[in-house]
Structures are given as C-alpha cells and as structure tokens.
Amino acid sequence: QVQLVESGGGLVQAGGSLRLSCAASGRTFSSYRMGWFRQAPGKEREFVAGISWSGGSTYYAGSVKGRFTISRDNAKNTVYLQMNSLKPEDTAVYYCGGSQAMGVMPSISYEYDYWGQGTQVTVSS
C-alpha cells in the first residue's frame, strides 16, 4: 500500500513558476513509476509527465514539454514537478500517481494504482 500526498499548488501569474511535490509513504516507492496528471473543470484527467523507477527516463505531454520538469528522489520517497512559464491553460487540479504497470511509460489514468488527493494550480492572465 502506498499513500501519496501532493503539495506546492497555488495561485501564480502567467509566466511564473511553481514546484509541486508528491511525498509517498511506504518502503516500495522505487518500485513504482510515477506520473503527474491534471484535471481541469469539465475535462478528463490528462497525463502531464512521467518518470521511470530510477529517474533516468522522463516523458512529457506535448503541451508542457520544455516548460515542465519531472524528477524524483527515491531516498526521500518524493517526486517533483517543476513548472515554468505557466499559462492560464495550465490551471487544473494536479495529481500524482504511482504505477506498477510494465511496458511503455503509463500515460492513462487507469494504469495507475495509487493517487494523491490533488493540489490546485491556478494561473492568472
């Protein structure tokens, strides 16, 4: 069992930056690939970024590539999402998820076994 707790959301002006954190409980954090998703009102949850078990491979949605950076610290059981050059369309609730799925990097929500409660990110224009 893994519990995930996100933090770091808030209100920021367009062009600004935020760093989200996701702290995991349990001793098996390094056995999960981790992902960040977001969900805006009236929209489906969408993949934002993912990272491999060791952190050596990362994956991004086209809409955030070059602006967001995902990283993890297995010693601290934490995954991060650094978000730069934020845009109003980045406004959403951001969730971290843990996946034990094998194969290509999971990018669909049902491939994830555990989820955090979410943290709100609001970008004003």
Side-chain angles (χ1 to χ4, degrees):
Q1 188 79 10
V2 174
Q3 292 185 327
L4 304 173
V5 179
E6 300 99 334
S7 61
L11 173 64
V12 64
Q13 288 188 333
S17 298
L18 282 175
R19 188 194 196 201
L20 306 183
S21 299
C22 173
S25 65
R27 296 174 290 178
T28 60
F29 177 71
S30 60
S31 68
Y32 291 84
R33 287 187 287 188
M34 299 298 295
W36 284 97
F37 284 70
R38 65 188 181 187
Q39 188 165 17
K43 295 188 176 182
E44 293 186 354
R45 190 171 296 192
E46 65 172 357
F47 176 80
V48 174
I51 191 165
S52 63
W53 301 273
S54 66
S57 297
T58 56
Y59 308 83
Y60 298 93
S63 59
V64 307
K65 198 169 187 178
R67 300 188 297 122
F68 291 10
T69 302
I70 188 171
S71 61
R72 69 189 295 166
D73 186 336
N74 286 344
K76 295 183 178 179
N77 281 10
T78 302
V79 61
Y80 306 95
L81 186 68
Q82 177 66 44
M83 304 186 295
N84 298 329
S85 302
L86 283 161
K87 305 175 181 180
E89 51 264 43
D90 295 318
T91 295
V93 177
Y94 283 70
Y95 299 89
C96 70
S99 174
Q100 291 184 300
M102 303 304 292
V104 298
M105 179 69 199
S107 61
I108 302 174
S109 58
Y110 69 72
E111 296 178 292
Y112 283 75
D113 304 287
Y114 300 102
W115 291 98
Q117 82 290 350
T119 186
Q120 176 71 47
V121 171
T122 303
V123 184
S124 63
S125 57

